[in-house]
Amino acid sequence: MFAFLLPVWRNRYFIPAAISGEFKSRVARSKIGTLWFVLQPLAMAAVYLLVLSEVLGAKLGGMDQKGAYAVYLLAGITAWGLFSEIVGRSVNMFLEYANILKKIRFPRIYIPLVILGGALINNLLLLVTVACLIAFNGFYPHLVWLSLIPATAVIVLLAVGLGIMLGILNIFSRDVAQVMTVVLNVWFWLTPIVYTSDMLSPKIGQFLQFNPMVPVVGIYHDAIVYNRMPHFETLLYPIALGTVLMCLSLFIFWRSGPDMVDAL
């Protein structure tokens, strides 16, 4: 089953070149280039911050430090941005590369890897930008930020596992992309990004424990906002779910391989 993954290692030098080419094509003829990758999430955070903090007077409970809520919001959006970009782009990735798939014979597994590479670069740019912005409010990067590495790995596991499956399903039913646009919007509000978990009732809080992004976003909040070492055992559930999704997606990818190009 996993034999189709072997070309990835044999042609491993092709993947960075493809990521670089895809990244350059997205900023071609753009006056501000890579800034577009951070302006959109920052603009969304600014709108939420203006409405919730300035208009509604929302503050981060338990912290009197100025700008704490803004940092909380930016930390959550940084985590969510990586997840939503991978899933959102993966849904249409095989359709985007349809012409290449029909004309050139190459390992199809390269496509999600190129999408992943581009998303990680965008997220790194966003994280660096966020680090610079929150430094003005006295929130400086510390060694505890290294805990973002395993959290990012879990996001990748969840997003790629889900994204490959949705990308294949979208080939045979184009409604999948439309449905996932709505699902991701609802999923965002079911994740404590613009609010804290202690603001919820116990019943809703228990329901949100089934959301695998809750503990992952929580690690970003612990590291960036509260400057404390997270509880990594909370990642066991998203790791287990992500592993199941990844194995299932690779199985579907393997079985549907001969039919994918014909359906495109």
Side-chain angles (χ1 to χ4, degrees):
M1 169 183 167
F2 295 101
F4 68 92
L5 296 175
L6 294 178
V8 174
W9 175 252
R10 290 198 297 264
N11 301 279
R12 58 191 178 277
Y13 301 110
F14 168 80
I15 298 174
I19 293 172
S20 176
E22 199 250 359
F23 190 75
K24 290 177 181 178
S25 67
R26 294 176 64 186
V27 299
R29 299 183 181 181
S30 174
K31 298 296 183 182
I32 61 176
T34 56
L35 284 178
W36 284 118
F37 298 124
V38 299
L39 284 179
Q40 183 176 357
L42 289 180
M44 182 174 65
V47 171
Y48 291 145
L49 184 62
L50 177 64
V51 173
L52 296 173
S53 183
E54 300 298 329
V55 178
L56 300 179
K59 295 183 178 180
L60 187 61
M63 293 193 70
D64 298 325
Q65 191 169 350
K66 183 180 178 181
Y69 178 73
V71 177
Y72 180 89
L73 186 59
L74 288 171
I77 286 179
T78 302
W80 178 261
L82 177 60
F83 177 78
S84 62
E85 180 178 359
I86 295 174
V87 174
R89 289 209 61 203
S90 295
V91 173
N92 293 301
M93 60 183 172
F94 297 114
L95 299 180
E96 291 179 10
Y97 287 86
N99 290 332
I100 298 177
L101 288 171
K102 292 177 181 179
K103 297 177 181 179
I104 303 174
R105 184 177 179 85
F106 74 102
R108 290 180 294 273
I109 195 65
Y110 283 168
I111 297 177
L113 293 177
V114 171
I115 299 296
L116 172 61
L120 288 174
I121 293 174
N122 296 343
N123 188 254
L124 179 60
L125 292 173
L126 177 60
L127 183 61
V128 171
T129 305
V130 167
C132 294
L133 290 176
I134 67 177
F136 289 103
N137 288 328
F139 291 82
Y140 303 103
H142 292 81
L143 288 176
V144 73
W145 279 42
L146 293 175
S147 61
L148 299 181
I149 297 176
T152 300
V154 175
I155 292 175
V156 168
L157 184 65
L158 285 167
V160 174
L162 181 61
I164 292 176
M165 185 187 307
L166 294 173
I168 296 172
L169 294 177
N170 194 45
I171 295 175
F172 302 99
S173 176
R174 305 301 165 85
D175 294 331
V176 173
Q178 305 301 324
V179 171
M180 280 308 301
T181 300
V182 177
V183 169
L184 284 175
N185 286 329
V186 175
W187 199 338
F188 173 83
W189 289 104
L190 291 177
T191 307
I193 295 174
V194 300
Y195 57 87
T196 59
S197 299
D198 55 11
M199 297 173 59
L200 305 173
S201 66
K203 184 176 294 185
I204 297 178
Q206 290 179 355
F207 171 74
L208 291 188
Q209 294 307 309
F210 293 99
N211 179 356
M213 285 299 294
V214 171
V216 179
V217 170
I219 289 196
Y220 272 73
H221 286 150
D222 285 340
I224 297 176
V225 183
Y226 301 106
N227 191 28
R228 65 191 181 196
M229 186 60 66
H231 298 286
F232 290 108
E233 62 271 14
T234 60
L235 292 178
L236 293 177
Y237 166 60
I239 288 174
L241 180 60
T243 302
V244 171
L245 286 173
M246 183 66 74
C247 293
L248 183 60
S249 293
L250 291 177
F251 176 76
I252 296 174
F253 190 88
W254 171 63
R255 290 297 301 269
S256 61
D259 302 321
M260 287 176 58
V261 176
D262 294 336
L264 290 170

